[in-house]
Amino acid sequence: MTTPEPELANQSPPYEDVNLFESDRPLRDAVTGNAAGADREALAAFGRRWGSADMFERGRLANAHPPRLEALDARGFRRDTVEFHPAYHALMAESIAEGLASSTWGADATPASAPAQVTRAARFYMAAQVETGHLCPLTMTRAAAAALAAEPKLAAMVVPKIVTRRYDPRFIPWWEKGGVTLGMGMTERQGGTDVRTNTTRAMPHGEGYLITGHKWFMSAPMCDFFLVLAQAHGGLTCFLMPRFRSDGSVNALHFQRLKDKLGNRSNASSEVEFADAFAWRVGAEGRGVRTIIQMVQLTRLDCAIASAGLMRMALVQALHHARHRIVFQKRLVDQPMMAGVLADMALEAEAAIALVVRLCRSFDLAASDPGEAARARLLTPAVKFWVCKRAPAFVYEAMECLGGNGYVEESLLPRLYREAPVNAIWEGSGNVMALDVLRAATPELAQTVLDALASDGEGLQGMRETRVQTMEALAGGEAQARLAVERLALLAAAAALRASAPAAVAELFARTRLGGSRGVALGTSDIKPADIDSLLARALPE
Ligand SMILES: Cc1cc2nc3c(=O)[nH]c(=O)nc-3n(C[C@H](O)[C@H](O)[C@H](O)COP(=O)(O)OP(=O)(O)OC[C@H]3O[C@@H](n4cnc5c(N)ncnc54)[C@H](O)[C@@H]3O)c2cc1C
């Protein structure tokens, strides 16, 4: 151990100019275990770039200067544009060039082959550690392609513009642009979860429909297209609404205001009125939910990946600080209780990344393997529920590890903390995820997935009991749905660790989370000193 120079005044140096891939053993193991063919050098280059001080500064700037709505010009003519800081555009350009919005699709709108989901997830997780707001339009863009599959002509029109990997922020018609982004509008004032209460109307018009109504939350309003839900004659229907009509005129999307949000500040979230806005139908009339759910399944997956990324950055900020800060003549990390807290956090964060990467493998293999398709269906809502709900408390604990500095705006922790709850709220909040698990868990599907998890995690302490508890809770309906989902996620996490992490890590997770006794707070697990050391060394090399 080296003693800090006196001029550092016992403060930890900034955590930057690091390689987010090479320094993250749990991530590397999860990628190796789930994506044999992954290009590790490319991931390492991504990790180096995104761990640079330059990228952290972009993340800071994009949030310190949130987007501004230009609703009208000086004379009162409609402008309906949003102005972003250059740092936001720079983040968008880099992420799009790296395929975060497109690498899981081919130009013909068919899924890219394995391990496309896993390698994109690794990048998405690293980018989320630096800036999450700009990931919103990227996740919507990549997910929208799944819904467009219902309308091959529209997919053939739009997807080739997604896979160009070019960011073109100009406010011009989509066909003149080098690349496009897509958003979605489902939520209305009177109902977000219950989209069947949508009042937005769609009337047939020429080759499409005219849409009239409002959306209460529509993020990334400078996207080139939006998937929106509206009531057509045949019921709730999905539509593709362009910012420009085919004659080159601006489509009638009138932004009322931008939300003043707790976090996610670099991303614009609008309230919008559609005044006879033109749109094409996607899928049959009355099949709106069924069509757009293809998209939502992927955005839910991304919520969990991003939350794992937030947890990772909070963990390394805390661990890095604890390795530099001296209290009572010892480094913080050498104080036994702090070491126990950090190790418990490292275990939790390692489980989160192992779990989401294993789930991405199921998405990679689902088309050719019914067992993996069953896992993807049942576990996506469970993993979103668990990882996204763990993140806020986790980030708070990390903040506390930094003491007062963690509470101060200039440190990254307040931004991570404000960011953390949104992944649980949007794309289906906790209860909605639990209801989705109940819906998916037919006896046959539940049996298939639980058998597979039990086989992956065979021999781990508490697997058998947790499986029984999961089955019982699933049978308990809504009253026990949250318990069932938690248990299911824990089973899946233990199984995922068993498959890709060292046996000792999987055993420790199972012993502390599935069996044994443990308190509510992080740091209440019984972890032996040797395991503490190895968990912390895995989490971040000194
Ligand atoms: C920053 C941000 C950006 C957003 N961007 C978009 C966007 O781009 N496009 C878009 O369409 N939406 C967007 N949303 C909206 C978001 O998806 C909704 O807020 C979310 O779906 C919940 O809907 P709601 O707000 O109407 O709440 P409600 O539907 O009223 O739900 C409130 C609570 O009730 C729970 N609940 C609902 N039904 C049940 C039930 N049957 N049983 C038990 N509990 C239940 C929910 O889990 C939730 O916790 C965004 C939201 C945020 C915060």
Side-chain angles (χ1 to χ4, degrees):
M1 178 200 113
T2 54
T3 311
E5 298 294 322
E7 63 266 23
L8 286 179
N10 199 19
Q11 294 287 357
S12 53
Y15 181 76
E16 56 193 23
D17 288 329
V18 288
N19 188 319
L20 300 179
F21 185 72
E22 294 293 358
S23 62
D24 189 341
R25 188 66 198 261
L27 170 65
R28 286 189 286 135
D29 283 354
V31 169
T32 304
N34 291 287
D39 182 349
R40 296 171 64 95
E41 276 180 25
L43 291 174
F46 186 95
R48 189 166 50 248
R49 173 70 186 138
W50 279 80
S52 67
D54 184 31
M55 294 304 272
F56 279 106
E57 179 61 1
R58 285 179 178 175
R60 187 190 71 76
L61 284 169
N63 285 276
H65 304 278
R68 230 182 49 186
L69 174 63
E70 307 281 346
L72 306 170
D73 72 6
R75 297 174 190 80
F77 291 109
R78 295 218 67 92
R79 290 194 56 187
D80 292 308
T81 55
V82 176
E83 194 176 84
F84 292 86
H85 190 273
Y88 172 88
H89 292 303
L91 289 164
M92 288 289 286
E94 292 224 15
S95 287
I96 286 177
E98 287 284 353
L100 294 194
S102 62
S103 61
T104 55
W105 299 108
D108 60 355
T110 56
S113 54
Q117 295 280 354
V118 168
T119 52
R120 175 188 172 276
R123 289 182 171 87
F124 199 79
Y125 159 86
M126 289 188 267
Q129 295 173 40
V130 180
E131 210 295 304
T132 32
H134 83 288
L135 297 179
C136 172
L138 304 185
T139 190
M140 292 194 292
T141 301
R142 89 109 176 186
L148 288 176
E151 215 61 56
K153 263 170 79 176
L154 292 179
M157 180 177 100
V158 175
V159 176
K161 287 275 185 188
I162 296 177
V163 299
T164 59
R165 297 196 180 198
R166 281 184 57 197
Y167 176 53
D168 189 342
R170 292 174 298 163
F171 188 49
I172 56 173
W174 62 268
W175 58 89
E176 294 176 16
K177 297 181 86 166
V180 299
T181 52
L182 281 79
M184 72 176 174
M186 295 197 282
T187 308
E188 298 188 359
R189 284 183 190 83
Q190 72 285 347
T193 307
D194 189 2
V195 289
R196 293 188 184 277
T197 64
N198 273 195
T199 59
T200 300
R201 300 261 145 215
M203 296 296 290
H205 177 80
E207 55 158 356
Y209 290 72
L210 292 180
I211 313 277
T212 307
H214 72 93
K215 293 293 167 186
W216 188 231
F217 276 91
M218 198 171 83
S219 290
M222 292 307 284
C223 285
D224 300 284
F225 300 93
F226 298 89
L227 284 172
V228 301
L229 291 179
Q231 304 285 358
H233 182 68
L236 194 65
T237 305
C238 182
F239 294 92
L240 179 70
M241 182 183 286
R243 278 308 302 274
F244 284 83
R245 297 173 68 128
S246 302
D247 63 4
S249 61
V250 178
N251 206 1
L253 287 76
H254 299 161
F255 299 113
Q256 311 294 302
R257 62 173 172 173
L258 299 186
K259 301 287 194 185
D260 185 6
K261 296 175 289 186
L262 169 68
N264 200 249
R265 296 184 76 82
S266 66
N267 177 35
S269 298
S270 71
E271 293 166 19
V272 59
E273 296 287 338
F274 304 140
D276 279 345
F278 176 81
W280 297 279
R281 180 170 46 74
V282 184
E285 283 193 8
R287 308 270 293 178
V289 173
R290 199 167 278 254
T291 303
I292 211 160
I293 206 76
Q294 303 304 323
M295 170 180 190
V296 175
Q297 186 81 339
L298 290 176
T299 56
R300 287 175 178 170
L301 178 61
D302 277 1
C303 288
I305 302 169
S307 282
L310 292 172
M311 289 165 71
R312 167 72 190 172
M313 183 46 62
L315 169 70
V316 294
Q317 290 286 341
L319 182 50
H320 173 77
H321 178 77
R323 282 178 174 158
H324 289 87
R325 182 81 163 175
I326 309 287
V327 294
F328 303 105
Q329 290 86 48
K330 270 189 189 174
R331 295 188 310 167
L332 254 180
V333 74
D334 296 324
Q335 297 287 358
M337 205 187 309
M338 179 57 92
V341 171
L342 290 166
D344 213 13
M345 290 172 63
L347 187 56
E348 193 85 357
E350 175 149 7
I353 187 59
L355 181 57
V356 295
V357 170
R358 177 62 186 85
L359 181 56
C360 289
R361 177 176 157 83
S362 293
F363 277 80
D364 264 331
L365 303 178
S368 57
D369 183 336
E372 295 294 343
R375 274 194 198 225
R377 174 65 192 97
L378 188 66
L379 294 182
T380 302
V383 170
K384 180 186 187 286
F385 179 99
W386 188 68
V387 178
C388 298
K389 277 208 183 298
R390 297 301 294 155
F394 186 101
V395 176
Y396 146 68
E397 197 67 61
M399 182 186 282
E400 194 173 307
C401 294
L402 276 87
N405 285 356
Y407 198 67
V408 170
E409 225 17 85
E410 288 88 351
S411 83
L412 193 53
L413 271 300
R415 173 146 64 86
L416 298 177
Y417 184 67
R418 284 195 300 268
E419 202 65 38
V422 77
N423 286 324
I425 291 174
W426 63 14
E427 306 306 322
S429 316
N431 288 350
V432 176
M433 291 302 88
L435 289 170
D436 196 40
V437 168
L438 289 188
R439 199 174 305 122
T442 59
E444 192 189 340
L445 189 116
Q447 179 88 20
T448 303
V449 175
L450 289 171
D451 282 352
L453 296 179
S455 154
D456 287 357
E458 197 177 347
L460 289 177
Q461 187 176 336
M463 280 302 276
R464 205 171 308 127
E465 295 81 352
T466 309
R467 181 188 174 154
V468 171
Q469 289 164 3
T470 307
M471 290 303 281
E472 284 173 359
L474 281 173
E478 287 193 27
Q480 292 194 53
R482 278 183 170 232
L483 181 65
V485 172
E486 272 192 15
R487 295 283 176 234
L488 180 59
L490 288 171
L491 274 180
L497 285 170
R498 182 60 181 273
S500 63
V505 175
E507 280 158 16
L508 195 54
F509 183 86
R511 179 167 66 70
T512 56
R513 269 69 178 170
L514 304 186
S517 65
R518 181 172 177 266
V520 173
L522 286 155
T524 54
S525 301
D526 173 22
I527 309 179
K528 305 277 173 290
D531 289 330
I532 289 178
D533 290 346
S534 68
L535 279 170
L536 297 185
R538 284 177 62 71
L540 189 67
E542 284 213 52

